[in-house]
């Protein structure tokens, strides 16, 4: 049994951890029994311009859904991430930036320099007419300017909406349209594994097709220096925007519940959801989870490998580490370029002590064995973290034994874009580890499990994972769709937040996450919606119908298995297959590249015409002996045809 493999705290972490087992128990108990007192104390981890007197006021009821934390408090997020560090550690490195090309010189940016750049950028944005509450889209790769742009928005009370640079022009257009953003900050190109990707070109294309496009200005960071199309009335270089701006900009005074950012994420619907996160509660939660879960201390060099376009980048590249005054590394490139030992080399080069990444990366390094660590000793590491997808015990063991040389705890953190910060994870000085388990809840988090019949599962057991009550980092709404917010997260189990994940709780109360129970697919730790991909497919002229499910993939965790019914006049050939692959890359981005396309004469449906996705999953999982009840299928022959013609995916290694 995996549960037997227990890694006791003493064997896996330093003695000086911030929280030991006794403290964890006491603090956890306090956080659940007296949440108001607990959070009032924890909220002192940030500076308030005007302190709050009310800690929380939350209801998950349909008629009265509201989530308010520290409501009458006022703060500025950047004053916490920058200004308050200047006196004692203005010269401390805030950001270390390493380019895609190892021969290009790197950059180290101190807290004072970051402060100056953020203020200059904030003044530039003010000059462009951006004001409090306005939404600014940021479509940038991992550059210092990305962090500067986010913080510049927060400085003046604007709301940033970062769109992952790997999304296509179409996906960007959807997000700009939905958020009605009037400003876009982008780069000429992004550079990844030596390839140039035309971000500015994508912005031009997106704005060309946005219905009711209201973008006034496009600010462009010069990264590649290669030529780009230019609209003189609309486009401005980032460097010109900052040139001559004052290095001070008064921080906007924000109410705790004012929005800090919107971040689009995949849900069950065929449009992405713009989750709205708050200033006060979000920052408190990002800061304290970053401090306790990573045990982050002043001399640490911290590296979270996530792209800033995802929630992990927001909370654990930018806001958590900067609020805590940490030195944080950004790497523009990918783990395997120019060779597979690149990230191990970066760990040695910068003496990284905390390394936080995704299981997909761990597995992709693991298959290369020693080549992934060749010539490096990684002796600076003291803590390893994992996020984004379940980590299989083999990958955990390799990460622990080989990559971390058996000296660093592996901190498996379960959370979501909606939760704002880490919800279930071991604390390095407090929690014994079990490979593959995210272990125990963070302070203030009360997980629960419900079975399919809607009964709460007590003790050992499995079911849908839900969270009782609120925590400060929780998303506050879906932009423009408060009703959808209720339906998506609070309608399933009254009084609880519904995570969309399945989990098992073992005899020690440890949680083992098993994956999504809804139509969200997690490819390489990237969250995709099956209905969004299906929508994109059916807009292709050759496609009549499509269904997308996940299947287990050795490296990416899950791969995309696509069933397509073509229009009558379209031949099911290799040319068409390639065309559909390219189409999805254009409509959504490279992350939506299907691994398998199976031609389907039609899709399995019930008599009332509802797609029976469950049986498609069984086919994709090669588990056709356990199809379950199929008596409700309108045409059983369809299923037999699909089973007989199942495509065997490549193992992914
Ligand atoms: O299914 C869970 C999986 O990732 C989903 C959330 O994706 P996203 O909102 O993009 O946030 C990713 C980074 C926080 C979850 O519903 N997931 C995340 N972390 C883990 C995980 N599954 C298992 N173990 C984890 N540690």
């Amino acid at each position: 049994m995996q549960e037997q493999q227990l890694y006791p705290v003493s064997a896996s972490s330093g003695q000086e951890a911030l929280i030991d087992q006794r403290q964890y128990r006491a603090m956890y108990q306090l956080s659940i029994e007296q949440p108001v007192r607990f959070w009032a104390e924890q909220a002192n981890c940030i500076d308030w311009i005007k302190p709050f007197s009310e800690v929380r006021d939350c209801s998950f009821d349909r008629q009265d859904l509201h989530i308010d934390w520290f409501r009458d408090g006022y703060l500025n997020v950047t004053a916490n991430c920058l200004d308050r560090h200047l006196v004692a550690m203005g010269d401390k490195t805030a950001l270390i930036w390493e380019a895609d090309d190892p021969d290009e010189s790197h950059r180290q940016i101190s807290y004072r320099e970051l402060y100056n750049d953020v203020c200059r950028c904030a003044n530039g944005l003010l000059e462009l007419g951006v004001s409090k509450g306005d939404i600014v889209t940021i479509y940038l790769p991992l550059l210092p300017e990305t962090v500067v742009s986010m913080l510049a928005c927060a400085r003046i009370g604007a709301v940033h909406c970062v769109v992952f640079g790997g999304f296509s022009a179409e996906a960007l257009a959807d997000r700009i349209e939905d958020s009605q953003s009037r400003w876009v900050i982008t780069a000429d190109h992004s550079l990844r594994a030596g390839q140039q990707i035309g971000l500015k070109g994508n912005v031009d294309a997106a704005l060309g097709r946005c219905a009711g496009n209201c973008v006034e200005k496009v600010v462009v960071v010069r990264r590649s220096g290669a030529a780009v199309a230019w609209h003189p009335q609309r486009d401005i270089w980032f460097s010109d925007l900052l040139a001559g701006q004052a290095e001070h900009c008064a921080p906007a005074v924000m109410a705790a519940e004012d929005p800090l950012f919107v971040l689009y994420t995949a849900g069950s619907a065929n449009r992405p959801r713009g989750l709205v996160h708050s200033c006060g509660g979000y920052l408190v939660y990002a800061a304290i989870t970053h401090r306790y879960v990573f045990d982050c201390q002043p001399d640490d060099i911290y590296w979270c490998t996530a792209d800033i376009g995802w929630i992990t980048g927001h909370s654990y590249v930018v806001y958590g580490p900067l609020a805590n005054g940490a030195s944080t590394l950004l790497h523009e490139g990918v783990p395997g370029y120019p060779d597979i030992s690149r990230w191990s080399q970066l760990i040695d080069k910068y003496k990284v002590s905390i390394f936080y990444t995704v299981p997909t990366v761990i597995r992709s390094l693991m298959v290369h064995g020693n080549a992934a660590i060749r010539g490096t000793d990684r002796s600076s590491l003291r803590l390893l973290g994992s996020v984004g997808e379940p980590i299989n015990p083999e990958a955990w063991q390799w990460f622990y034994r080989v990559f971390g040389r058996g000296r660093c705890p592996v901190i498996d953190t379960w959370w979501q874009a909606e939760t704002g910060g880490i919800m279930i994870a071991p604390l390095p000085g407090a929690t014994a580890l079990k490979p593959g388990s995210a272990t125990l809840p963070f302070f203030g988090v009360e997980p629960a499990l419900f079975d399919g019949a809607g009964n709460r599962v007590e003790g050992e057991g499995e079911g849908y994972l839900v969270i009782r009550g609120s925590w400060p980092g929780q998303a506050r709404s879906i932009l423009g769709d408060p009703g959808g917010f209720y339906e998506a997260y609070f309608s399933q189990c009254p009084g609880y937040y519904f995570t969309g994940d399945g989990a098992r709780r073992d005899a020690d109360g440890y949680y083992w996450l098993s994956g999504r129970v809804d139509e969200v697919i997690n490819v390489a730790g990237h969250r995709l919606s099956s209905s969004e991909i299906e929508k994109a497919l059916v807009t292709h002229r050759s496609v009549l119908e499509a269904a997308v499910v996940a299947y287990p993939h050795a490296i990416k965790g899950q791969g995309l298995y696509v069933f397509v019914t073509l229009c009558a006049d379209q031949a099911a050939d290799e040319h068409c297959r390639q065309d559909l692959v390219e189409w999805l890359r254009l409509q959504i981005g490279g992350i939506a590249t299907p691994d398998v396309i199976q031609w389907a004469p039609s899709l399995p449906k019930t008599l009332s015409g509802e797609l029976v996705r469950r049986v498609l999953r069984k086919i994709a999982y090669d588990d056709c002996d356990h199809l379950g009840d199929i008596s409700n299928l309108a045409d059983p022959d369809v299923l037999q045809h699909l089973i007989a013609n199942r495509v065997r995916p490549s193992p992914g290694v």
Side-chain angles (χ1 to χ4, degrees), residues 132-143:
K132 197 167 169 171
D134 287 336
I135 297 182
V136 177
T137 298
I138 299 177
Y139 181 60
L140 281 171
L142 216 54
L143 298 174

Side-chain angles (χ1 to χ4, degrees), residues 242-503:
L242 269 64
Q245 297 291 355
E247 292 186 336
H248 178 74
C249 172
V253 178
M254 306 298 288
E257 282 302 326
D258 282 339
L260 174 63
F261 64 86
V262 171
L263 183 64
Y264 283 89
T265 193
S268 300
N270 61 18
R271 282 186 75 82
R273 301 170 177 156
L275 296 172
V276 183
H277 278 282
S278 68
C279 288
Y282 171 81
L283 188 66
V284 167
Y285 201 71
I288 75 154
T289 47
H290 177 260
R291 173 170 303 155
Y292 293 140
V293 175
F294 299 113
D295 193 46
C296 195
Q297 304 198 21
D299 294 334
D300 278 311
I301 303 290
Y302 166 88
W303 183 14
C304 166
T305 66
D307 190 278
I308 292 181
W310 306 105
I311 188 69
T312 311
H314 283 58
S315 301
Y316 300 114
V317 176
V318 181
Y319 289 113
L322 295 180
N324 291 333
S327 296
T328 181
L329 174 65
L330 315 175
H331 177 223
E332 182 183 38
V334 298
Y337 180 81
D339 72 67
I340 196 69
S341 68
R342 175 80 156 130
W343 281 12
S344 297
Q345 288 179 22
L346 287 184
I347 289 170
D348 280 7
K349 177 174 176 184
Y350 294 110
K351 303 270 173 285
V352 171
S353 51
I354 302 175
F355 179 66
Y356 186 35
T357 193
V358 283
T360 290
V361 165
I362 300 167
R363 289 188 290 263
S364 69
L365 297 178
M366 186 171 78
V367 294
H368 289 93
N370 282 340
I373 52 171
R374 185 164 296 140
T376 67
D377 68 15
R378 304 163 318 288
S379 55
S380 53
L381 288 173
R382 66 178 194 84
L383 189 146
L384 299 171
S386 173
V387 62
E389 34 171 342
I391 178 165
N392 46 315
E394 300 71 36
W396 193 105
Q397 294 285 4
W398 183 85
F399 202 31
Y400 177 74
R401 289 187 193 289
V402 180
F403 198 84
R405 299 170 55 188
R407 296 169 44 252
C408 314
V410 172
I411 305 297
D412 177 9
T413 62
W414 174 84
W415 59 294
Q416 309 176 300
E418 292 85 348
T419 70
I422 293 165
M423 301 289 278
I424 301 181
L427 301 191
T431 318
L433 307 172
K434 297 183 188 184
S437 169
T439 78
L440 298 172
F442 188 71
F443 304 129
V445 174
E446 224 181 319
L449 300 175
F450 277 79
D451 65 18
N455 301 312
R456 192 168 160 159
V457 177
E458 303 294 343
E460 259 183 279
E462 57 191 313
Y464 300 122
L465 177 68
V466 299
I467 310 291
R468 189 167 164 270
S470 182
W471 61 97
Q474 185 171 22
R476 302 305 197 249
S477 192
I478 295 175
L479 187 70
D481 190 12
F485 186 56
Y486 175 83
E487 289 303 327
Y489 304 111
F490 306 101
S491 59
Q492 301 85 345
C493 292
Y496 294 85
Y497 161 75
F498 183 79
T499 66
D501 275 309

